[in-house]
Amino acid sequence: MKTLKNLTLALVATATLVACDNSKKDQAQKNVDAFSNYVDSVSVVSTENLNANWEEIERVYTEKKLQAQSDVETTDDSGVLKSKLNEANSKYTEFKDKHLASSQELVLAKNKMTFRNTFFKGQEIGDDMSFAWVNKDNILSVYDTFVTTAIENKDSYSREDWDEIKMMYEALDSRKNTVEKEGLSSSDNLKIASLKVKFAPTYTIKRTGAKTEENAEAKK
């Protein structure tokens, strides 16, 4: 009788342990699935929405990851779950790297556009820099604003800035060739020539100086 009682207790204990272990596995599976699904969901969100909610995305990611890891570590025979957890984590890391790189590119592109626009009173300059909005009636004013802005801020520009300025300057000159055929007055043409003479030495001196400073910094 005593033997039977002990056997019954052992069976109950075993059943309890199995049930407990299964419960842990189910919980671990649930949290690993939740983590994996979360990674899948954020990886398809638009860059604009990602930027607006990035801190919250990172917070939830960390929370779900830690919960899933904790449950997996306390579960026996968790090889499959660990593999799924690592796969989801790797996917998020790759997604995060791409997002941050893309965000940095957007910031640089926005900064470049803002820099360009300062030379034209806020007028947006497309990547093609066609200056289609420049005509015989406003081209003198455009040149004057461009040259005045460059000279007034000459000490603040880097070598890369001067390279960008040169690119815009050459594109504006290209537009001037077209505008001349559309009836640019001789008077405005002469005034533009005077502005160009004023700009040339400033560009040469300041660009050379910025390049020299850049090389000196690189040697440090």
Side-chain angles (χ1 to χ4, degrees), residues 19 21 34 50 56 74 77 92-93 105 133 139 169 192 201 213:
D21 187 52
L50 286 174
E56 178 64 10
T74 59
D77 191 26
Y92 183 85
T93 300
E105 289 177 2
W133 51 275
I139 191 168
Y169 183 70
I192 290 173
E213 290 180 7

Side-chain angles (χ1 to χ4, degrees), residues 34-35 37-66 89 91-93 95-97 99-100 103:
F35 175 63
N37 290 337
Y38 180 74
V39 171
D40 288 339
S41 68
V42 298
S43 64
V44 295
V45 175
S46 67
T47 300
E48 181 178 349
N49 287 330
L50 286 174
N51 287 335
N53 301 283
W54 186 249
E55 288 187 4
E56 178 64 10
I57 289 172
E58 283 274 79
R59 185 192 68 77
V60 176
Y61 156 77
T62 300
E63 182 181 283
K64 289 184 177 295
K65 176 185 175 182
L66 291 176
N89 193 51
K91 183 175 182 179
Y92 183 85
T93 300
F95 148 76
K96 179 179 179 179
D97 289 343
H99 166 64
L100 294 179
S103 295

Side-chain angles (χ1 to χ4, degrees), residues 70-82:
S70 177
D71 288 341
V72 168
E73 288 171 359
T74 59
T75 303
D76 295 332
D77 191 26
S78 58
V80 174
L81 292 179
K82 283 183 179 179

Side-chain angles (χ1 to χ4, degrees), residues 101-115:
S102 177
S103 295
Q104 181 63 20
E105 289 177 2
L106 287 176
V107 170
L108 292 175
K110 184 177 180 180
N111 289 343
K112 177 186 285 188
M113 191 60 65
T114 299
F115 179 75

Side-chain angles (χ1 to χ4, degrees), residues 87-187:
E87 182 180 347
N89 193 51
S90 295
K91 183 175 182 179
Y92 183 85
T93 300
E94 182 180 353
F95 148 76
K96 179 179 179 179
D97 289 343
K98 288 182 179 179
H99 166 64
L100 294 179
S102 177
S103 295
Q104 181 63 20
E105 289 177 2
L106 287 176
V107 170
L108 292 175
K110 184 177 180 180
N111 289 343
K112 177 186 285 188
M113 191 60 65
T114 299
F115 179 75
R116 288 178 175 179
N117 295 346
T118 61
F119 289 85
F120 303 97
K121 293 184 177 179
Q123 176 73 41
E124 290 192 10
I125 309 303
D127 287 334
D128 61 356
M129 287 195 284
S130 64
F131 290 101
W133 51 275
V134 176
N135 54 53
K136 65 183 180 64
D137 298 317
N138 65 15
I139 191 168
L140 173 59
S141 174
V142 172
Y143 263 101
D144 184 54
T145 299
F146 181 91
V147 172
T148 298
T149 300
I151 292 176
E152 286 182 349
N153 299 281
K154 61 184 183 298
D155 294 327
S156 66
Y157 298 138
S158 66
R159 189 269 308 166
E160 289 184 349
D161 290 337
W162 282 113
D163 288 347
E164 186 71 20
I165 290 170
K166 181 183 180 183
M167 191 182 303
M168 291 187 288
Y169 183 70
E170 291 176 345
L172 182 58
D173 274 352
S174 178
R175 177 60 181 169
K176 175 177 174 292
N177 293 334
T178 299
V179 172
E180 284 180 338
K181 300 173 184 176
E182 296 175 348
L184 177 63
S185 69
S186 298
S187 175

